[in-house]
Amino acid sequence: MIKPAEKIGKLCKDKMITELILRFEKHPNFIITNYMGSSTSDLEMLRRNLKKSSANYFVVKNSVLRLVFGKMKLEEELSQIEGGIGISFAGGDVVSACNVLVGFAKTHDNFKIKSGVIDGKRLPTDKIRQLASLPPKNVLIAQVVGGIKSPITGFVNTLGGVLRKFVYAID
């Protein structure tokens, strides 16, 4: 016979699994970390910094995460679940979320980045560090626009020079 307390525990675990699956479906880009040894105030500071880059961070029970990864067919990530696990869901700008996490890991020895899934592909820690070294999205866009604009500007200046020389010749 199932006791009422066991029913509540099972119901709560089922609710956590459902909620996690919804989060993973809504935010398919995530990074798995090990937070063991980090203080609560440090993790709160990390959450505030991640919020600025439209990402979030939360701690999850390993048993629940194993069930969720099993249901979502993320078997490659099951090996990463050991110790205290935290998940960071990246918002629109994955690079800035990686930047915040890598910066936090540099200043906090106990915090380790284990792996991540970006655009459906598993990324090891070194690839996440490479992503973090990229400039922010708006800077990359400005560089592309500048690269596109540069030849056009040169062409316009060349045409303007021909006109100026013509005007000087007539004058």
Side-chain angles (χ1 to χ4, degrees):
M1 182 168 172
I2 298 177
K3 297 177 185 175
E6 291 176 7
K7 283 184 181 180
I8 293 172
K10 174 131 176 64
L11 186 65
C12 186
K13 194 172 190 178
D14 289 342
K15 179 71 175 159
M16 282 191 283
I17 291 170
T18 305
E19 178 67 28
L20 267 176
I21 289 173
L22 288 174
R23 283 190 183 199
F24 278 108
E25 288 172 352
K26 188 175 180 185
H27 303 285
N29 300 327
F30 61 91
I31 298 169
I32 302 171
T33 63
N34 186 332
Y35 69 91
M36 289 306 280
S38 300
S39 68
T40 306
S41 61
D42 288 342
L43 291 179
E44 283 302 316
M45 182 179 65
L46 173 65
R47 284 184 180 102
R48 281 193 299 273
N49 291 338
L50 282 170
K51 195 172 192 173
K52 293 174 188 172
S53 64
S54 71
N56 57 25
Y57 184 84
F58 68 97
V59 173
V60 63
K61 287 181 69 171
N62 293 356
S63 60
V64 172
L65 192 58
R66 278 190 190 96
L67 291 170
V68 169
F69 280 173
K71 287 184 178 187
M72 296 190 67
K73 310 286 190 262
L74 294 169
E75 286 82 18
E76 292 178 349
E77 301 304 317
L78 287 173
S79 63
Q80 300 298 320
I81 304 174
E82 56 185 54
I85 297 295
I87 302 285
S88 175
F89 288 112
D93 191 3
V94 176
V95 174
S96 66
C98 289
N99 196 3
V100 170
L101 288 168
V102 168
F104 187 81
K106 284 180 184 175
T107 58
H108 297 83
D109 294 332
N110 296 329
F111 189 83
K112 305 281 186 242
I113 297 173
K114 297 184 116 188
S115 70
V117 174
I118 309 294
D119 294 332
K121 296 178 184 171
R122 184 176 190 273
L123 293 181
T125 306
D126 59 331
K127 295 286 184 187
I128 293 171
R129 286 196 179 103
Q130 286 178 351
L131 269 177
S133 67
L134 290 173
K137 185 177 181 178
N138 56 357
V139 172
L140 287 173
I141 290 171
Q143 289 174 346
V144 168
V145 170
I148 292 170
K149 179 186 148 231
S150 177
I152 296 170
T153 303
F155 182 66
V156 169
N157 286 337
T158 302
L159 289 178
V162 171
L163 277 174
R164 269 192 302 277
K165 287 182 181 179
F166 179 70
V167 169
Y168 289 137
I170 292 178
D171 192 26

